[in-house]
Amino acid sequence: MLMILVAFIIILMALVCCLWYIKTLKDRLRENAKSEKMKKAFLQNIHHEICVPLKAVKDLAGVVGKEDLYLSKNEKRNISDQLTYNANLVDTLFDEVVMFSENVYEKHQLHLESFSPNALCRRCLEANMFSIYHRQAVKLNFKRELNDEFFVKNDRHMVELVLNKLILNACRFTEVGEVLVGCNTSENTDQLTFFVEDTGNGVPENRRNKLFTWFEKPEEMADEVELDLSICHRIAIKVGGALYMDENYHRRGTRFVFILPLRHS
């Protein structure tokens, strides 16, 4: 119980710091940003996303704070997992703010580390089990195409950020069926390919050619999903990769592909 309360306090402090940091960055962007619409939309979205984990933490605090509460080991583990998930969301928001403040073509300092693509996919799927967009009627599955002993080298945290957002958006538009995640080296020669498939309603034809253009044409942004995808696209470029929607995917739903240069550990 004490560990849960300590974790709750740490997350609240992190959220306060995040809000302060965003306010500071907003003042700086006001002087340098080329587009007021871009700033406003981005910061409003970040503010909205911060409120989501904050509300979750408040709800959990209300549960933990009950004097007559008895929690089983599984219940404690569930609360701990949810707190960890929301803490990771805050950490991700910090990274998005930093990425947004940089020029899209400015070289990003990569923090290279060795990691297993399979393990990363599983980690992201487990994290999104606690997403507010994940419905019980939707299965989150992993398609294993590489050996678990296969490792690559890249900025794992940035790669995880992109993959998490793609899974989150897939969950957002999938009410029933499946979100399938996997990775391989056969789809694109000498490159590592991550993919996220869903059984949702798909992307309307009139929005497909504008999914990743928000930073160039903020006035044409339809909703926050295009903002999320633009952020993913921006980060993909930073880590030397590419992100696109698979136009040849003819099953129900949508398939996004995230490609990285193949650097072996």
Side-chain angles (χ1 to χ4, degrees), residues 211-233:
L211 284 178
F212 308 112
T213 61
W214 183 83
F215 283 100
E216 287 72 32
K217 299 178 181 180
E219 69 278 1
E220 294 185 6
M221 186 183 69
D223 52 41
E224 64 184 39
V225 175
E226 292 179 13
L227 172 60
D228 285 343
L229 291 175
S230 291
I231 292 172
C232 289
H233 184 253

mmCIF file with all atom_site columns, all heavy atoms in Angstrom, residues 211-233:
data_model
loop_
_atom_site.group_PDB
_atom_site.id
_atom_site.type_symbol
_atom_site.label_atom_id
_atom_site.label_alt_id
_atom_site.label_comp_id
_atom_site.label_asym_id
_atom_site.label_entity_id
_atom_site.label_seq_id
_atom_site.pdbx_PDB_ins_code
_atom_site.Cartn_x
_atom_site.Cartn_y
_atom_site.Cartn_z
_atom_site.occupancy
_atom_site.B_iso_or_equiv
_atom_site.pdbx_formal_charge
_atom_site.auth_seq_id
_atom_site.auth_comp_id
_atom_site.auth_asym_id
_atom_site.auth_atom_id
_atom_site.pdbx_PDB_model_num
ATOM 1   N N   . LEU A 1 211 ? -2.487  12.549 -44.092 1.00 0.00 ? 211 LEU A N   1
ATOM 2   C CA  . LEU A 1 211 ? -2.269  12.001 -42.760 1.00 0.00 ? 211 LEU A CA  1
ATOM 3   C C   . LEU A 1 211 ? -1.023  12.555 -42.081 1.00 0.00 ? 211 LEU A C   1
ATOM 4   O O   . LEU A 1 211 ? -1.001  12.750 -40.866 1.00 0.00 ? 211 LEU A O   1
ATOM 5   C CB  . LEU A 1 211 ? -2.157  10.475 -42.831 1.00 0.00 ? 211 LEU A CB  1
ATOM 6   C CG  . LEU A 1 211 ? -3.469  9.701  -43.020 1.00 0.00 ? 211 LEU A CG  1
ATOM 7   C CD1 . LEU A 1 211 ? -3.181  8.216  -43.123 1.00 0.00 ? 211 LEU A CD1 1
ATOM 8   C CD2 . LEU A 1 211 ? -4.430  9.967  -41.863 1.00 0.00 ? 211 LEU A CD2 1
ATOM 9   N N   . PHE A 1 212 ? 0.019   12.801 -42.866 1.00 0.00 ? 212 PHE A N   1
ATOM 10  C CA  . PHE A 1 212 ? 1.293   13.194 -42.277 1.00 0.00 ? 212 PHE A CA  1
ATOM 11  C C   . PHE A 1 212 ? 1.692   14.620 -42.633 1.00 0.00 ? 212 PHE A C   1
ATOM 12  O O   . PHE A 1 212 ? 2.859   14.982 -42.542 1.00 0.00 ? 212 PHE A O   1
ATOM 13  C CB  . PHE A 1 212 ? 2.398   12.236 -42.730 1.00 0.00 ? 212 PHE A CB  1
ATOM 14  C CG  . PHE A 1 212 ? 2.070   10.787 -42.502 1.00 0.00 ? 212 PHE A CG  1
ATOM 15  C CD1 . PHE A 1 212 ? 1.862   9.939  -43.585 1.00 0.00 ? 212 PHE A CD1 1
ATOM 16  C CD2 . PHE A 1 212 ? 1.964   10.263 -41.230 1.00 0.00 ? 212 PHE A CD2 1
ATOM 17  C CE1 . PHE A 1 212 ? 1.557   8.593  -43.380 1.00 0.00 ? 212 PHE A CE1 1
ATOM 18  C CE2 . PHE A 1 212 ? 1.658   8.935  -41.023 1.00 0.00 ? 212 PHE A CE2 1
ATOM 19  C CZ  . PHE A 1 212 ? 1.456   8.092  -42.103 1.00 0.00 ? 212 PHE A CZ  1
ATOM 20  N N   . THR A 1 213 ? 0.732   15.452 -43.042 1.00 0.00 ? 213 THR A N   1
ATOM 21  C CA  . THR A 1 213 ? 1.072   16.789 -43.527 1.00 0.00 ? 213 THR A CA  1
ATOM 22  C C   . THR A 1 213 ? 0.695   17.887 -42.550 1.00 0.00 ? 213 THR A C   1
ATOM 23  O O   . THR A 1 213 ? 0.730   19.060 -42.895 1.00 0.00 ? 213 THR A O   1
ATOM 24  C CB  . THR A 1 213 ? 0.354   17.078 -44.870 1.00 0.00 ? 213 THR A CB  1
ATOM 25  O OG1 . THR A 1 213 ? -1.068  17.012 -44.656 1.00 0.00 ? 213 THR A OG1 1
ATOM 26  C CG2 . THR A 1 213 ? 0.751   16.077 -45.923 1.00 0.00 ? 213 THR A CG2 1
ATOM 27  N N   . TRP A 1 214 ? 0.354   17.537 -41.326 1.00 0.00 ? 214 TRP A N   1
ATOM 28  C CA  . TRP A 1 214 ? -0.142  18.541 -40.391 1.00 0.00 ? 214 TRP A CA  1
ATOM 29  C C   . TRP A 1 214 ? 0.875   19.647 -40.135 1.00 0.00 ? 214 TRP A C   1
ATOM 30  O O   . TRP A 1 214 ? 0.529   20.814 -40.053 1.00 0.00 ? 214 TRP A O   1
ATOM 31  C CB  . TRP A 1 214 ? -0.533  17.888 -39.078 1.00 0.00 ? 214 TRP A CB  1
ATOM 32  C CG  . TRP A 1 214 ? -1.112  18.869 -38.103 1.00 0.00 ? 214 TRP A CG  1
ATOM 33  C CD1 . TRP A 1 214 ? -2.401  19.311 -38.050 1.00 0.00 ? 214 TRP A CD1 1
ATOM 34  C CD2 . TRP A 1 214 ? -0.422  19.554 -37.067 1.00 0.00 ? 214 TRP A CD2 1
ATOM 35  N NE1 . TRP A 1 214 ? -2.556  20.214 -37.031 1.00 0.00 ? 214 TRP A NE1 1
ATOM 36  C CE2 . TRP A 1 214 ? -1.356  20.380 -36.414 1.00 0.00 ? 214 TRP A CE2 1
ATOM 37  C CE3 . TRP A 1 214 ? 0.903   19.548 -36.620 1.00 0.00 ? 214 TRP A CE3 1
ATOM 38  C CZ2 . TRP A 1 214 ? -1.019  21.190 -35.344 1.00 0.00 ? 214 TRP A CZ2 1
ATOM 39  C CZ3 . TRP A 1 214 ? 1.248   20.355 -35.548 1.00 0.00 ? 214 TRP A CZ3 1
ATOM 40  C CH2 . TRP A 1 214 ? 0.293   21.169 -34.926 1.00 0.00 ? 214 TRP A CH2 1
ATOM 41  N N   . PHE A 1 215 ? 2.140   19.283 -40.029 1.00 0.00 ? 215 PHE A N   1
ATOM 42  C CA  . PHE A 1 215 ? 3.139   20.282 -39.704 1.00 0.00 ? 215 PHE A CA  1
ATOM 43  C C   . PHE A 1 215 ? 3.349   21.280 -40.846 1.00 0.00 ? 215 PHE A C   1
ATOM 44  O O   . PHE A 1 215 ? 3.786   22.389 -40.631 1.00 0.00 ? 215 PHE A O   1
ATOM 45  C CB  . PHE A 1 215 ? 4.471   19.613 -39.351 1.00 0.00 ? 215 PHE A CB  1
ATOM 46  C CG  . PHE A 1 215 ? 4.476   19.042 -37.973 1.00 0.00 ? 215 PHE A CG  1
ATOM 47  C CD1 . PHE A 1 215 ? 4.270   17.691 -37.772 1.00 0.00 ? 215 PHE A CD1 1
ATOM 48  C CD2 . PHE A 1 215 ? 4.668   19.852 -36.870 1.00 0.00 ? 215 PHE A CD2 1
ATOM 49  C CE1 . PHE A 1 215 ? 4.268   17.164 -36.490 1.00 0.00 ? 215 PHE A CE1 1
ATOM 50  C CE2 . PHE A 1 215 ? 4.666   19.334 -35.593 1.00 0.00 ? 215 PHE A CE2 1
ATOM 51  C CZ  . PHE A 1 215 ? 4.471   17.984 -35.393 1.00 0.00 ? 215 PHE A CZ  1
ATOM 52  N N   . GLU A 1 216 ? 3.009   20.866 -42.059 1.00 0.00 ? 216 GLU A N   1
ATOM 53  C CA  . GLU A 1 216 ? 3.117   21.770 -43.184 1.00 0.00 ? 216 GLU A CA  1
ATOM 54  C C   . GLU A 1 216 ? 1.832   22.557 -43.402 1.00 0.00 ? 216 GLU A C   1
ATOM 55  O O   . GLU A 1 216 ? 1.857   23.703 -43.813 1.00 0.00 ? 216 GLU A O   1
ATOM 56  C CB  . GLU A 1 216 ? 3.455   20.997 -44.465 1.00 0.00 ? 216 GLU A CB  1
ATOM 57  C CG  . GLU A 1 216 ? 4.889   20.467 -44.545 1.00 0.00 ? 216 GLU A CG  1
ATOM 58  C CD  . GLU A 1 216 ? 5.131   19.298 -43.613 1.00 0.00 ? 216 GLU A CD  1
ATOM 59  O OE1 . GLU A 1 216 ? 4.183   18.522 -43.385 1.00 0.00 ? 216 GLU A OE1 1
ATOM 60  O OE2 . GLU A 1 216 ? 6.260   19.173 -43.102 1.00 0.00 ? 216 GLU A OE2 1
ATOM 61  N N   . LYS A 1 217 ? 0.673   21.946 -43.113 1.00 0.00 ? 217 LYS A N   1
ATOM 62  C CA  . LYS A 1 217 ? -0.613  22.591 -43.365 1.00 0.00 ? 217 LYS A CA  1
ATOM 63  C C   . LYS A 1 217 ? -1.544  22.394 -42.169 1.00 0.00 ? 217 LYS A C   1
ATOM 64  O O   . LYS A 1 217 ? -2.495  21.609 -42.225 1.00 0.00 ? 217 LYS A O   1
ATOM 65  C CB  . LYS A 1 217 ? -1.251  22.009 -44.633 1.00 0.00 ? 217 LYS A CB  1
ATOM 66  C CG  . LYS A 1 217 ? -0.412  22.218 -45.884 1.00 0.00 ? 217 LYS A CG  1
ATOM 67  C CD  . LYS A 1 217 ? -1.072  21.583 -47.103 1.00 0.00 ? 217 LYS A CD  1
ATOM 68  C CE  . LYS A 1 217 ? -0.225  21.774 -48.347 1.00 0.00 ? 217 LYS A CE  1
ATOM 69  N NZ  . LYS A 1 217 ? -0.844  21.157 -49.538 1.00 0.00 ? 217 LYS A NZ  1
ATOM 70  N N   . PRO A 1 218 ? -1.273  23.090 -41.056 1.00 0.00 ? 218 PRO A N   1
ATOM 71  C CA  . PRO A 1 218 ? -2.091  22.887 -39.849 1.00 0.00 ? 218 PRO A CA  1
ATOM 72  C C   . PRO A 1 218 ? -3.550  23.233 -40.046 1.00 0.00 ? 218 PRO A C   1
ATOM 73  O O   . PRO A 1 218 ? -4.414  22.702 -39.362 1.00 0.00 ? 218 PRO A O   1
ATOM 74  C CB  . PRO A 1 218 ? -1.433  23.826 -38.822 1.00 0.00 ? 218 PRO A CB  1
ATOM 75  C CG  . PRO A 1 218 ? -0.700  24.831 -39.650 1.00 0.00 ? 218 PRO A CG  1
ATOM 76  C CD  . PRO A 1 218 ? -0.233  24.090 -40.862 1.00 0.00 ? 218 PRO A CD  1
ATOM 77  N N   . GLU A 1 219 ? -3.853  24.134 -40.996 1.00 0.00 ? 219 GLU A N   1
ATOM 78  C CA  . GLU A 1 219 ? -5.248  24.521 -41.195 1.00 0.00 ? 219 GLU A CA  1
ATOM 79  C C   . GLU A 1 219 ? -6.074  23.391 -41.798 1.00 0.00 ? 219 GLU A C   1
ATOM 80  O O   . GLU A 1 219 ? -7.300  23.429 -41.776 1.00 0.00 ? 219 GLU A O   1
ATOM 81  C CB  . GLU A 1 219 ? -5.332  25.766 -42.093 1.00 0.00 ? 219 GLU A CB  1
ATOM 82  C CG  . GLU A 1 219 ? -4.930  25.526 -43.544 1.00 0.00 ? 219 GLU A CG  1
ATOM 83  C CD  . GLU A 1 219 ? -3.428  25.554 -43.752 1.00 0.00 ? 219 GLU A CD  1
ATOM 84  O OE1 . GLU A 1 219 ? -2.696  25.735 -42.760 1.00 0.00 ? 219 GLU A OE1 1
ATOM 85  O OE2 . GLU A 1 219 ? -2.993  25.398 -44.905 1.00 0.00 ? 219 GLU A OE2 1
ATOM 86  N N   . GLU A 1 220 ? -5.409  22.361 -42.329 1.00 0.00 ? 220 GLU A N   1
ATOM 87  C CA  . GLU A 1 220 ? -6.129  21.253 -42.950 1.00 0.00 ? 220 GLU A CA  1
ATOM 88  C C   . GLU A 1 220 ? -6.261  20.054 -42.016 1.00 0.00 ? 220 GLU A C   1
ATOM 89  O O   . GLU A 1 220 ? -6.801  19.026 -42.397 1.00 0.00 ? 220 GLU A O   1
ATOM 90  C CB  . GLU A 1 220 ? -5.421  20.815 -44.230 1.00 0.00 ? 220 GLU A CB  1
ATOM 91  C CG  . GLU A 1 220 ? -5.438  21.878 -45.325 1.00 0.00 ? 220 GLU A CG  1
ATOM 92  C CD  . GLU A 1 220 ? -4.840  21.372 -46.619 1.00 0.00 ? 220 GLU A CD  1
ATOM 93  O OE1 . GLU A 1 220 ? -4.518  20.166 -46.688 1.00 0.00 ? 220 GLU A OE1 1
ATOM 94  O OE2 . GLU A 1 220 ? -4.694  22.168 -47.556 1.00 0.00 ? 220 GLU A OE2 1
ATOM 95  N N   . MET A 1 221 ? -5.769  20.163 -40.796 1.00 0.00 ? 221 MET A N   1
ATOM 96  C CA  . MET A 1 221 ? -5.839  19.052 -39.862 1.00 0.00 ? 221 MET A CA  1
ATOM 97  C C   . MET A 1 221 ? -7.288  18.762 -39.497 1.00 0.00 ? 221 MET A C   1
ATOM 98  O O   . MET A 1 221 ? -8.038  19.665 -39.123 1.00 0.00 ? 221 MET A O   1
ATOM 99  C CB  . MET A 1 221 ? -5.052  19.375 -38.592 1.00 0.00 ? 221 MET A CB  1
ATOM 100 C CG  . MET A 1 221 ? -4.971  18.191 -37.627 1.00 0.00 ? 221 MET A CG  1
ATOM 101 S SD  . MET A 1 221 ? -4.109  18.597 -36.100 1.00 0.00 ? 221 MET A SD  1
ATOM 102 C CE  . MET A 1 221 ? -5.257  19.722 -35.328 1.00 0.00 ? 221 MET A CE  1
ATOM 103 N N   . ALA A 1 222 ? -7.684  17.512 -39.635 1.00 0.00 ? 222 ALA A N   1
ATOM 104 C CA  . ALA A 1 222 ? -9.070  17.130 -39.355 1.00 0.00 ? 222 ALA A CA  1
ATOM 105 C C   . ALA A 1 222 ? -9.300  16.879 -37.865 1.00 0.00 ? 222 ALA A C   1
ATOM 106 O O   . ALA A 1 222 ? -10.311 17.263 -37.306 1.00 0.00 ? 222 ALA A O   1
ATOM 107 C CB  . ALA A 1 222 ? -9.445  15.882 -40.155 1.00 0.00 ? 222 ALA A CB  1
ATOM 108 N N   . ASP A 1 223 ? -8.360  16.204 -37.208 1.00 0.00 ? 223 ASP A N   1
ATOM 109 C CA  . ASP A 1 223 ? -8.519  15.909 -35.786 1.00 0.00 ? 223 ASP A CA  1
ATOM 110 C C   . ASP A 1 223 ? -7.174  15.559 -35.184 1.00 0.00 ? 223 ASP A C   1
ATOM 111 O O   . ASP A 1 223 ? -6.138  15.603 -35.847 1.00 0.00 ? 223 ASP A O   1
ATOM 112 C CB  . ASP A 1 223 ? -9.514  14.751 -35.582 1.00 0.00 ? 223 ASP A CB  1
ATOM 113 C CG  . ASP A 1 223 ? -9.159  13.538 -36.423 1.00 0.00 ? 223 ASP A CG  1
ATOM 114 O OD1 . ASP A 1 223 ? -7.963  13.224 -36.510 1.00 0.00 ? 223 ASP A OD1 1
ATOM 115 O OD2 . ASP A 1 223 ? -10.073 12.933 -36.993 1.00 0.00 ? 223 ASP A OD2 1
ATOM 116 N N   . GLU A 1 224 ? -7.197  15.216 -33.888 1.00 0.00 ? 224 GLU A N   1
ATOM 117 C CA  . GLU A 1 224 ? -5.949  14.966 -33.167 1.00 0.00 ? 224 GLU A CA  1
ATOM 118 C C   . GLU A 1 224 ? -5.238  13.712 -33.648 1.00 0.00 ? 224 GLU A C   1
ATOM 119 O O   . GLU A 1 224 ? -4.039  13.549 -33.414 1.00 0.00 ? 224 GLU A O   1
ATOM 120 C CB  . GLU A 1 224 ? -6.221  14.852 -31.671 1.00 0.00 ? 224 GLU A CB  1
ATOM 121 C CG  . GLU A 1 224 ? -7.083  13.672 -31.275 1.00 0.00 ? 224 GLU A CG  1
ATOM 122 C CD  . GLU A 1 224 ? -7.394  13.674 -29.795 1.00 0.00 ? 224 GLU A CD  1
ATOM 123 O OE1 . GLU A 1 224 ? -7.627  14.747 -29.242 1.00 0.00 ? 224 GLU A OE1 1
ATOM 124 O OE2 . GLU A 1 224 ? -7.396  12.579 -29.218 1.00 0.00 ? 224 GLU A OE2 1
ATOM 125 N N   . VAL A 1 225 ? -5.956  12.814 -34.340 1.00 0.00 ? 225 VAL A N   1
ATOM 126 C CA  . VAL A 1 225 ? -5.314  11.609 -34.856 1.00 0.00 ? 225 VAL A CA  1
ATOM 127 C C   . VAL A 1 225 ? -4.241  11.982 -35.874 1.00 0.00 ? 225 VAL A C   1
ATOM 128 O O   . VAL A 1 225 ? -3.142  11.421 -35.880 1.00 0.00 ? 225 VAL A O   1
ATOM 129 C CB  . VAL A 1 225 ? -6.350  10.665 -35.505 1.00 0.00 ? 225 VAL A CB  1
ATOM 130 C CG1 . VAL A 1 225 ? -5.651  9.482  -36.145 1.00 0.00 ? 225 VAL A CG1 1
ATOM 131 C CG2 . VAL A 1 225 ? -7.331  10.188 -34.452 1.00 0.00 ? 225 VAL A CG2 1
ATOM 132 N N   . GLU A 1 226 ? -4.545  12.936 -36.745 1.00 0.00 ? 226 GLU A N   1
ATOM 133 C CA  . GLU A 1 226 ? -3.561  13.368 -37.727 1.00 0.00 ? 226 GLU A CA  1
ATOM 134 C C   . GLU A 1 226 ? -2.373  14.039 -37.038 1.00 0.00 ? 226 GLU A C   1
ATOM 135 O O   . GLU A 1 226 ? -1.244  13.954 -37.516 1.00 0.00 ? 226 GLU A O   1
ATOM 136 C CB  . GLU A 1 226 ? -4.219  14.292 -38.744 1.00 0.00 ? 226 GLU A CB  1
ATOM 137 C CG  . GLU A 1 226 ? -5.225  13.553 -39.625 1.00 0.00 ? 226 GLU A CG  1
ATOM 138 C CD  . GLU A 1 226 ? -5.901  14.469 -40.636 1.00 0.00 ? 226 GLU A CD  1
ATOM 139 O OE1 . GLU A 1 226 ? -5.438  15.601 -40.823 1.00 0.00 ? 226 GLU A OE1 1
ATOM 140 O OE2 . GLU A 1 226 ? -6.902  14.030 -41.234 1.00 0.00 ? 226 GLU A OE2 1
ATOM 141 N N   . LEU A 1 227 ? -2.627  14.695 -35.916 1.00 0.00 ? 227 LEU A N   1
ATOM 142 C CA  . LEU A 1 227 ? -1.528  15.261 -35.140 1.00 0.00 ? 227 LEU A CA  1
ATOM 143 C C   . LEU A 1 227 ? -0.644  14.147 -34.608 1.00 0.00 ? 227 LEU A C   1
ATOM 144 O O   . LEU A 1 227 ? 0.591   14.210 -34.708 1.00 0.00 ? 227 LEU A O   1
ATOM 145 C CB  . LEU A 1 227 ? -2.091  16.099 -33.987 1.00 0.00 ? 227 LEU A CB  1
ATOM 146 C CG  . LEU A 1 227 ? -1.077  16.610 -32.961 1.00 0.00 ? 227 LEU A CG  1
ATOM 147 C CD1 . LEU A 1 227 ? -0.045  17.501 -33.628 1.00 0.00 ? 227 LEU A CD1 1
ATOM 148 C CD2 . LEU A 1 227 ? -1.784  17.357 -31.842 1.00 0.00 ? 227 LEU A CD2 1
ATOM 149 N N   . ASP A 1 228 ? -1.252  13.112 -34.027 1.00 0.00 ? 228 ASP A N   1
ATOM 150 C CA  . ASP A 1 228 ? -0.480  11.983 -33.509 1.00 0.00 ? 228 ASP A CA  1
ATOM 151 C C   . ASP A 1 228 ? 0.353   11.333 -34.604 1.00 0.00 ? 228 ASP A C   1
ATOM 152 O O   . ASP A 1 228 ? 1.519   11.004 -34.399 1.00 0.00 ? 228 ASP A O   1
ATOM 153 C CB  . ASP A 1 228 ? -1.419  10.941 -32.897 1.00 0.00 ? 228 ASP A CB  1
ATOM 154 C CG  . ASP A 1 228 ? -1.973  11.370 -31.549 1.00 0.00 ? 228 ASP A CG  1
ATOM 155 O OD1 . ASP A 1 228 ? -1.395  12.299 -30.950 1.00 0.00 ? 228 ASP A OD1 1
ATOM 156 O OD2 . ASP A 1 228 ? -2.981  10.799 -31.106 1.00 0.00 ? 228 ASP A OD2 1
ATOM 157 N N   . LEU A 1 229 ? -0.244  11.121 -35.770 1.00 0.00 ? 229 LEU A N   1
ATOM 158 C CA  . LEU A 1 229 ? 0.471   10.489 -36.864 1.00 0.00 ? 229 LEU A CA  1
ATOM 159 C C   . LEU A 1 229 ? 1.590   11.375 -37.391 1.00 0.00 ? 229 LEU A C   1
ATOM 160 O O   . LEU A 1 229 ? 2.643   10.891 -37.809 1.00 0.00 ? 229 LEU A O   1
ATOM 161 C CB  . LEU A 1 229 ? -0.502  10.129 -37.996 1.00 0.00 ? 229 LEU A CB  1
ATOM 162 C CG  . LEU A 1 229 ? -1.496  9.008  -37.666 1.00 0.00 ? 229 LEU A CG  1
ATOM 163 C CD1 . LEU A 1 229 ? -2.484  8.810  -38.814 1.00 0.00 ? 229 LEU A CD1 1
ATOM 164 C CD2 . LEU A 1 229 ? -0.763  7.699  -37.374 1.00 0.00 ? 229 LEU A CD2 1
ATOM 165 N N   . SER A 1 230 ? 1.370   12.681 -37.373 1.00 0.00 ? 230 SER A N   1
ATOM 166 C CA  . SER A 1 230 ? 2.412   13.604 -37.800 1.00 0.00 ? 230 SER A CA  1
ATOM 167 C C   . SER A 1 230 ? 3.589   13.573 -36.838 1.00 0.00 ? 230 SER A C   1
ATOM 168 O O   . SER A 1 230 ? 4.741   13.653 -37.255 1.00 0.00 ? 230 SER A O   1
ATOM 169 C CB  . SER A 1 230 ? 1.857   15.029 -37.901 1.00 0.00 ? 230 SER A CB  1
ATOM 170 O OG  . SER A 1 230 ? 0.951   15.138 -38.965 1.00 0.00 ? 230 SER A OG  1
ATOM 171 N N   . ILE A 1 231 ? 3.286   13.459 -35.547 1.00 0.00 ? 231 ILE A N   1
ATOM 172 C CA  . ILE A 1 231 ? 4.349   13.335 -34.552 1.00 0.00 ? 231 ILE A CA  1
ATOM 173 C C   . ILE A 1 231 ? 5.138   12.045 -34.787 1.00 0.00 ? 231 ILE A C   1
ATOM 174 O O   . ILE A 1 231 ? 6.371   12.031 -34.754 1.00 0.00 ? 231 ILE A O   1
ATOM 175 C CB  . ILE A 1 231 ? 3.765   13.355 -33.130 1.00 0.00 ? 231 ILE A CB  1
ATOM 176 C CG1 . ILE A 1 231 ? 3.191   14.742 -32.810 1.00 0.00 ? 231 ILE A CG1 1
ATOM 177 C CG2 . ILE A 1 231 ? 4.820   12.977 -32.093 1.00 0.00 ? 231 ILE A CG2 1
ATOM 178 C CD1 . ILE A 1 231 ? 2.418   14.810 -31.518 1.00 0.00 ? 231 ILE A CD1 1
ATOM 179 N N   . CYS A 1 232 ? 4.422   10.955 -35.046 1.00 0.00 ? 232 CYS A N   1
ATOM 180 C CA  . CYS A 1 232 ? 5.084   9.674  -35.338 1.00 0.00 ? 232 CYS A CA  1
ATOM 181 C C   . CYS A 1 232 ? 5.976   9.793  -36.568 1.00 0.00 ? 232 CYS A C   1
ATOM 182 O O   . CYS A 1 232 ? 7.109   9.303  -36.590 1.00 0.00 ? 232 CYS A O   1
ATOM 183 C CB  . CYS A 1 232 ? 4.033   8.586  -35.562 1.00 0.00 ? 232 CYS A CB  1
ATOM 184 S SG  . CYS A 1 232 ? 3.148   8.064  -34.088 1.00 0.00 ? 232 CYS A SG  1
ATOM 185 N N   . HIS A 1 233 ? 5.445   10.445 -37.601 1.00 0.00 ? 233 HIS A N   1
ATOM 186 C CA  . HIS A 1 233 ? 6.200   10.624 -38.845 1.00 0.00 ? 233 HIS A CA  1
ATOM 187 C C   . HIS A 1 233 ? 7.456   11.446 -38.598 1.00 0.00 ? 233 HIS A C   1
ATOM 188 O O   . HIS A 1 233 ? 8.541   11.147 -39.115 1.00 0.00 ? 233 HIS A O   1
ATOM 189 C CB  . HIS A 1 233 ? 5.300   11.319 -39.874 1.00 0.00 ? 233 HIS A CB  1
ATOM 190 C CG  . HIS A 1 233 ? 5.930   11.482 -41.216 1.00 0.00 ? 233 HIS A CG  1
ATOM 191 N ND1 . HIS A 1 233 ? 6.371   12.703 -41.673 1.00 0.00 ? 233 HIS A ND1 1
ATOM 192 C CD2 . HIS A 1 233 ? 6.204   10.586 -42.195 1.00 0.00 ? 233 HIS A CD2 1
ATOM 193 C CE1 . HIS A 1 233 ? 6.887   12.561 -42.881 1.00 0.00 ? 233 HIS A CE1 1
ATOM 194 N NE2 . HIS A 1 233 ? 6.791   11.281 -43.220 1.00 0.00 ? 233 HIS A NE2 1
#
